[in-house]
Amino acid sequence: MSAKLNEVQNATVGMTVGCIEVLCLQPLNYCKNMVQQGQPLSADPRKLYRGVGANCVNMGSCTMIQFVVGGSLKNYVSGGDKSYKLTPLQEMGCGIGAGVTSAFVGCPLELVMIQQQRKGGNTLSTLQSIANPNHILRGWVGTAVREGLWTCGYLSIPPIVRGFLMDKYPEKFDTEAKARVPAALLGGLFACYLTHPFDTIKTCMQGDIERKTYGSFTETAASIWKESSLPGFYRGATFRYGRMVIAVGMMDFLQSAIGPMLYPEAFK
């Protein structure tokens, strides 16, 4: 998200970045979801990429919303002054606000993807099976917390870390490319391990829309704790952290590269 771009431009950049990330990293997302639900893994590409269409729409639209809302919040905080440098807390607040907003779109789309990964079937039949007011926003609380911190992790933490490293250690980090790796590692670590318990609860709820094992948010949390205590909330964390480190670095680079590529006049 950039305060230099308008809402439509931020939306275009966000949609592009989100779709590229999904197409590259969908297999890691599949593995994470299956492990969280205690389901067997498969190396079959047809299963690894099952639900990729819904996830492309999900990540594309959510990233688009995050870029638009985040850019608007940054613009509001800066008072429209493009030379204004946001404080770390302002950066993080804008990221969290953008992520929570995107959960209203992301939650139903992830429900479609997880149902496809769990049960198979095409997108149309899956949509028909979940077309119920009781299902559409199932897992929203977990999605909102996760997206708020995830957006902060990939949109706000990397610029803060990059700026700190380049200011404090200019001899080692004399370019953004050199500072991007540690920024991605820290952003991914922040986004993954703080949010993973909420993601596990959400994934279990969305994989069990019949509510045979998992009921409400608190009931699901209690069930996971009873099954395997604290480690149960971190099932699939290895796959998710691997994906997030790659994704944070990728999205940090793509948002800074695609914006000027598509709209060079805004960055003059």
Side-chain angles (χ1 to χ4, degrees):
M1 59 185 176
S2 174
K4 296 181 179 180
L5 300 177
N6 61 37
E7 285 79 2
V8 174
Q9 292 169 333
N10 267 317
T12 303
V13 173
M15 177 67 79
T16 305
V17 169
C19 288
I20 292 172
E21 186 270 334
V22 167
L23 292 172
C24 292
L25 303 179
Q26 175 71 6
L28 289 174
N29 195 33
Y30 159 83
C31 292
K32 185 271 297 182
N33 287 338
M34 292 297 101
V35 171
Q36 282 179 317
Q37 299 172 81
Q39 299 297 307
L41 296 177
S42 171
D44 185 342
R46 292 171 298 179
K47 292 185 177 180
L48 289 172
Y49 275 88
R50 184 180 283 168
V52 70
N55 204 23
C56 268
V57 176
N58 171 33
M59 280 299 292
S61 57
C62 281
T63 309
M64 175 183 71
I65 291 168
Q66 289 159 7
F67 274 45
V68 170
V69 174
S72 297
L73 289 173
K74 283 187 173 184
N75 192 52
Y76 174 78
V77 171
S78 68
D81 182 0
K82 295 184 179 181
S83 64
Y84 178 80
K85 184 176 176 61
L86 273 68
T87 67
L89 282 179
Q90 289 172 334
E91 284 272 11
M92 295 172 72
C94 291
I96 291 170
V100 171
T101 303
S102 72
F104 287 101
V105 173
C107 183
L109 290 169
E110 285 196 24
L111 177 62
V112 173
M113 177 189 68
I114 288 172
Q115 284 292 300
Q116 281 188 275
Q117 289 176 337
R118 182 77 184 264
K119 300 173 182 176
N122 58 41
T123 301
L124 181 60
S125 63
T126 303
L127 284 170
Q128 291 172 338
S129 72
I130 67 168
N132 183 313
N134 293 325
H135 298 334
I136 295 299
L137 288 178
R138 182 160 168 78
W140 182 84
V141 172
T143 307
V145 174
R146 186 202 64 195
E147 286 301 310
L149 294 176
W150 153 245
T151 307
C152 180
Y154 87 85
L155 283 182
S156 303
I157 299 297
I160 294 170
V161 174
R162 279 203 322 271
F164 174 81
L165 292 175
M166 293 176 74
D167 287 343
K168 297 294 183 180
Y169 307 100
E171 68 284 353
K172 285 188 176 181
F173 301 100
D174 54 346
T175 65
E176 285 198 348
K178 290 181 181 179
R180 185 166 279 119
V181 173
L185 289 170
L186 288 173
L189 187 67
F190 174 91
C192 179
Y193 286 96
L194 281 181
T195 64
H196 199 75
F198 298 96
D199 185 68
T200 298
I201 295 169
K202 178 216 62 100
T203 300
C204 290
M205 290 178 68
Q206 292 186 327
D208 181 26
I209 58 173
E210 299 81 9
R211 294 169 170 77
K212 293 179 180 178
T213 304
Y214 303 111
S216 67
F217 183 87
T218 53
E219 289 169 345
T220 302
S223 295
I224 295 171
W225 180 266
K226 186 177 179 180
E227 289 170 10
S228 46
S229 67
L230 186 61
F233 291 98
Y234 284 90
R235 293 192 298 243
T238 303
F239 289 112
R240 188 161 179 249
Y241 180 59
R243 177 194 167 216
M244 281 190 163
V245 169
I246 299 170
V248 168
M250 180 186 296
M251 295 173 85
D252 184 35
F253 168 74
L254 288 173
Q255 68 163 323
S256 62
I258 291 177
M261 187 186 303
L262 294 178
Y263 307 106
E265 67 284 353
F267 292 84
K268 290 179 179 178

